Amino acid sequence: MVSRNASWKNAVMKPFIGRVLVAVAISFSCTSAFAQWLKYPTAGVPRTGNGKFNPSAPAPRTPDGKPDFTGLWLTESPNCPPNRDSESLVCGVELPMSPQGINMGIGMPGGLPYQPWLAALVKERTANNAKDDPHVRCLPDTFIRAYGLPHLLKFVQTSGLLVMLNEMNAGYRQVFLDGRPLPTDPTPSWQGYSSATWEGDTLVVNSNGFRDDLWIDWNGSMITEAAKVRERIRRPDFGHLEVEVTIDDPKAYTKPWTVTLKQRLAVDTELVDEICLENEKSAQRMK
């Protein structure tokens, strides 16, 4: 069995290792200019006089005046040592995980309002080092969990669609911006079905149609097929996103609950393939 720390280390090291291997491969096969592609300067971002990215600049807008969420995003609340360089994307050599990625209810008085059956299950999952965690077994992560995991997310926004690309397992999510009705009897999905409307500069996203038992943190908290999820997403400045998530899942929780998952913009880098099953060894040891 692999310990929780070992599993977490395996997860957070993959982004770094992937970037190193890709960079080495490129350096041996391409010109020196192309070899720097992973560190190619991001176009269109505001910079200070010394060329550094200025995250406090005004948020960009689309041609129709709406906030533009396009960009690469990573948790702004890293579970890192306090002396970490605030401008660095990594904790040492690793991309960071947020505290909510480990325990979604951290900082919430009394923790998440579990139904009794789920409280017992989370206790069991924590005690057995989350050996059944779908993430460790290379299955997809729902977007709720992805906001806190050590992997980059790319948002691509058009006039009618917000696409979220996850470098982990080349995952994707679609958010339709036309306010269409949610399906009434959908085929259960890892990411659910998402429809959004604007309230001023805040995008309000409603989602349903999830698969049962989707983990949302390392402790084994989950949502069920009964879950309804609402996100309120805003971009207060160029370098930050605030994602307020409310989960209403009466099968799993005694009442709706809300958490804010803050993101920071990652510039001068790009997505890197992280296909979990490539050379995967953990599952056999975790039986």
Side-chain angles (χ1 to χ4, degrees):
M1 182 184 299
V2 177
S3 71
R4 178 179 295 275
N5 288 339
S7 299
W8 185 87
K9 182 177 180 181
N10 181 55
V12 297
M13 280 298 291
K14 284 183 178 179
F16 172 73
I17 293 172
R19 283 171 172 75
V20 170
L21 291 178
V22 171
V24 170
I26 291 172
S27 68
F28 279 101
S29 61
C30 305
T31 66
S32 60
F34 188 74
Q36 300 304 312
W37 190 76
L38 285 176
K39 295 185 178 181
Y40 195 84
T42 302
V45 300
R47 299 185 185 269
T48 61
N50 61 5
K52 289 187 176 181
F53 168 51
N54 178 14
S56 61
R61 293 185 177 271
T62 61
D64 61 0
K66 300 297 185 185
D68 189 350
F69 300 151
T70 297
L72 282 173
W73 300 99
L74 183 67
T75 179
E76 191 198 2
S77 306
N79 194 29
C80 295
N83 59 350
R84 167 180 172 267
D85 178 3
S86 61
E87 294 185 2
S88 174
L89 292 177
V90 298
C91 295
V93 297
E94 303 167 346
L95 287 175
M97 174 181 282
S98 74
Q100 290 83 4
I102 300 170
N103 174 10
M104 189 64 72
I106 192 169
M108 190 179 298
L112 296 179
Y114 299 123
Q115 292 284 5
W117 69 268
L118 182 53
L121 182 58
V122 170
K123 183 177 180 180
E124 176 186 337
R125 287 172 168 175
T126 303
N128 67 23
N129 294 314
K131 65 181 181 65
D132 297 319
D133 185 351
H135 178 88
V136 176
R137 296 176 180 275
C138 297
L139 292 170
D141 301 300
T142 190
F143 62 89
I144 305 165
R145 189 176 188 185
Y147 286 129
L149 286 175
H151 312 286
L152 292 176
L153 301 175
K154 174 178 271 192
F155 287 17
V156 181
Q157 183 175 330
T158 70
S159 60
L161 189 67
L162 177 64
V163 178
M164 302 181 180
L165 306 175
N166 189 340
E167 65 182 357
M168 181 67 174
N169 287 330
Y172 75 94
R173 177 196 182 198
Q174 298 184 99
V175 178
F176 292 93
L177 305 182
D178 56 7
R180 66 184 59 186
L182 293 175
T184 56
D185 186 23
T187 300
S189 168
W190 291 96
Q191 306 301 332
Y193 300 81
S194 300
S195 177
T197 56
W198 290 97
E199 290 184 2
D201 286 346
T202 299
L203 185 66
V204 181
V205 185
N206 291 302
S207 303
N208 72 350
F210 298 98
R211 294 169 60 100
D212 203 30
D213 194 13
L214 287 178
W215 288 40
I216 59 174
D217 62 21
W218 282 101
N219 285 350
S221 306
M222 55 171 278
I223 59 172
T224 73
E225 77 282 356
K228 296 179 180 179
V229 178
R230 172 168 289 181
E231 297 156 273
R232 297 180 61 86
I233 308 176
R234 55 186 299 268
R235 190 171 185 174
D237 55 26
F238 206 101
H240 302 91
L241 277 185
E242 294 179 358
V243 185
E244 180 187 275
V245 179
T246 298
I247 292 181
D248 184 1
D249 186 350
K251 183 177 176 181
Y253 301 95
T254 60
K255 61 182 179 181
W257 52 271
T258 299
V259 63
T260 299
L261 305 174
K262 295 184 177 181
Q263 308 291 296
R264 62 176 294 193
L265 187 69
V267 300
D268 305 337
T269 189
E270 254 303 341
L271 298 179
V272 170
D273 278 355
E274 295 181 56
I275 306 304
C276 179
L277 282 173
E278 288 186 335
N279 202 34
E280 195 281 324
K281 304 293 185 182
S282 296
Q284 292 297 319
R285 297 194 294 266
M286 296 179 71
K287 290 182 177 181

